[in-house]
Amino acid sequence: MYVCGVTPYDSGHMGHAFTFAIFDVLVRFLEANGTRVKYVQNITDVDDPLFERARRDDIDWRELADRETKVHVRDMTVLGWRPPDVMPRVSEEIPRIVTAAAKLKASRHAYQADALYFDTHSYRGFGRLSHRSRRSMIRKLREEELLGTVGPDAKRDPLDFALWRTSRPNEPAWPSKFGDGKPGWHIECSVMAMRYLGPQIDIHGGGRDLIFSHHESERAQSESLTGKAPFARAWVHTGMVRFNGRKMSKSLGNLVKVSQALQRAPAAAVRLYLVSHRYQRDWDFEWTGLARAARLVERMRKFLADDARLKTPKRAPRRALMSEFNAALADDLDTPRAVRALRAALRQKDAAAVRAMNEVLLGSASLT
Ligand SMILES: [Zn+2]
């Protein structure tokens, strides 16, 4: 499983935490049922927004990336994740990215203009992952200011995207046969996913805002590189978290940081609140919702503490409770239904079931 990780330039907010908590439930559910999972989550430490932030704050981009990567790992550790097996950083994968770009050029999937571009006409089915028309793809690129220019010295088609570009002044540049420069965003993930997981992967995840253009482009260039399809057998995308009615984002300044939530509630409550939402839907973060989750966690903590103190004889979890819990998660990871099963286990005072469900839903997040 490959999940697109953070661009480390602003410490983790609830939108990030939602995505990674959901994929953590998925890993834990698969592993609890005997499937071995190799989990790769990258750190996008070579990215324009990161460089811009470093310039604005007059700080070395590597220092900024290191600091914010630590914040991300710390937040997710507190929220009880099973750490990814590999967390590759783009900055350490550059020679492989250059090799992949050269291979795409040699096989005529890429051409050189003012940058090295992927030729989207060389790949059949560009747009099929996101189910977007050509017009809608162009509109999205324009909205995200990723459209660039089309022309004799630039890209041939508005949908083509850069594999390798010249760096701007004050940006890092790496040597390559296409000139000193930096990789495009999409090729980074193709290369890291294939290095650690092979040419075809089972699950590729990320936030829904990545479907186009990131994953659409990643899929096209990966399949063009290997000649194997599908690149990913399942694409899993998480919804957006809103706050005060709008998508949480740095540009709108309406972020709720994980650290802020942890000041008001135990880690297990923050995590329970996150996973009480269906992964593919957008939802609104509300402090009252977090408080409700905290009350459930407190009931659970008391019940488990009493159970440990009274030394009740150990029993296997009730089968009906566990099978409802597993059926919920097997049904396209229906975590809200799994949380209802957890409530039922608590009502029926089945400590073993509560513990087993906690392990999957809340991981190692602390109840206090
Ligand atoms: Zn990615």
Side-chain angles (χ1 to χ4, degrees):
M1 177 167 102
Y2 184 90
V3 177
C4 286
V6 294
T7 296
Y9 70 102
D10 224 334
S11 57
H13 60 78
M14 299 307 281
H16 291 147
F18 176 54
T19 294
F20 302 115
I22 287 292
F23 285 105
D24 194 62
V25 172
L26 179 55
V27 173
R28 287 176 179 278
F29 174 59
L30 291 169
E31 289 184 333
N33 288 281
T35 303
R36 282 201 306 134
V37 180
K38 183 168 180 188
Y39 177 16
V40 178
Q41 185 194 115
N42 73 292
I43 300 285
T44 309
D45 64 350
V46 173
D47 200 13
D48 290 354
L50 170 77
F51 299 150
E52 273 159 34
R53 177 60 62 92
R55 207 163 32 232
R56 191 197 80 181
D57 294 354
D58 195 22
I59 171 177
D60 186 273
W61 65 276
R62 280 160 296 206
E63 207 178 303
L64 175 64
D66 269 354
R67 189 185 77 202
E68 296 300 319
T69 299
K70 283 194 187 113
V71 170
H72 169 56
V73 171
R74 185 199 65 204
D75 284 351
M76 293 316 300
T77 304
V78 172
L79 292 181
W81 77 349
R82 166 229 187 268
D85 297 287
V86 194
M87 291 187 79
R89 293 174 181 224
V90 178
S91 60
E92 290 164 7
E93 308 281 340
I94 304 287
R96 281 184 178 77
I97 294 171
V98 174
T99 306
K103 205 174 154 196
L104 284 168
K105 184 159 185 279
S107 58
R108 296 177 180 275
H109 286 291
Y111 60 91
Q112 182 82 55
D114 59 339
L116 182 73
Y117 290 103
F118 182 82
D119 177 0
T120 47
H121 287 281
S122 75
Y123 173 79
R124 276 176 56 131
F126 194 77
R128 266 187 218 158
L129 179 69
S130 54
H131 305 291
R132 280 175 184 266
S133 66
R134 182 178 165 80
R135 244 174 77 189
S136 146
M137 290 192 280
I138 292 174
R139 195 188 330 120
K140 180 92 192 308
L141 287 176
R142 187 175 294 122
E143 278 165 19
E144 295 184 345
E145 295 175 22
L146 294 171
L147 193 57
T149 27
V150 177
D153 303 319
K155 58 183 176 179
R156 294 175 192 159
D157 187 285
L159 295 180
D160 294 352
F161 51 88
L163 300 171
W164 191 265
R165 301 170 288 163
T166 319
S167 304
R168 276 175 261 175
N170 303 322
E171 281 183 353
W174 289 267
S176 88
K177 59 180 80 173
F178 318 108
D180 291 0
K182 58 183 179 178
W185 172 28
H186 316 307
I187 187 79
E188 302 177 342
C189 279
S190 288
V191 167
M192 289 183 285
M194 291 196 278
R195 174 174 181 197
Y196 297 100
L197 297 170
Q200 290 180 292
I201 62 183
D202 292 315
I203 301 169
H204 194 311
R208 201 192 53 221
D209 50 345
L210 299 180
I211 301 177
F212 189 84
S213 59
H214 187 44
H215 290 165
E216 189 77 60
S217 308
E218 207 188 313
R219 168 177 170 258
Q221 70 199 352
S222 298
E223 292 180 4
S224 301
L225 263 171
T226 62
K228 287 187 177 145
F231 165 53
R233 294 182 183 91
W235 291 89
V236 181
H237 293 107
T238 49
M240 300 292 112
V241 182
R242 290 180 300 245
F243 187 55
N244 294 333
R246 304 179 77 176
K247 179 193 156 184
M248 249 185 224
S249 80
K250 284 171 270 273
S251 48
L252 292 173
N254 63 343
L255 298 182
V256 177
K257 291 191 174 178
V258 174
S259 54
Q260 291 172 302
L262 287 170
Q263 281 167 3
R264 298 214 203 173
V270 175
R271 173 140 166 168
L272 180 70
Y273 180 47
L274 294 171
V275 305
S276 307
H277 298 88
R278 201 71 209 266
Y279 78 85
Q280 61 278 70
R281 297 214 187 113
D282 296 355
W283 56 280
D284 285 282
F285 179 91
E286 280 165 1
W287 291 108
T288 50
L290 178 59
R292 214 166 25 244
R295 287 195 292 276
L296 177 60
V297 162
E298 176 56 17
R299 265 174 55 208
M300 209 147 56
R301 186 197 63 75
K302 274 201 185 123
F303 167 66
L304 292 175
D306 285 349
D307 182 72
R309 196 160 36 83
L310 297 172
K311 296 199 177 66
T312 44
K314 282 222 172 0
R315 274 201 212 103
R318 254 168 241 150
R319 197 176 294 166
L321 285 169
M322 288 314 294
S323 74
E324 166 55 16
F325 180 78
N326 285 320
L329 293 179
D331 182 11
D332 197 17
L333 208 70
D334 191 342
T335 52
R337 187 174 146 201
V339 171
R340 288 197 294 277
L342 172 63
R343 284 179 181 275
L346 194 58
R347 271 198 309 274
Q348 295 180 30
K349 303 202 183 310
D350 186 333
V354 169
R355 284 199 187 91
M357 294 177 189
N358 264 354
E359 219 157 278
V360 172
L361 285 177
L362 307 182
S364 51
S366 166
L367 297 174
T368 54

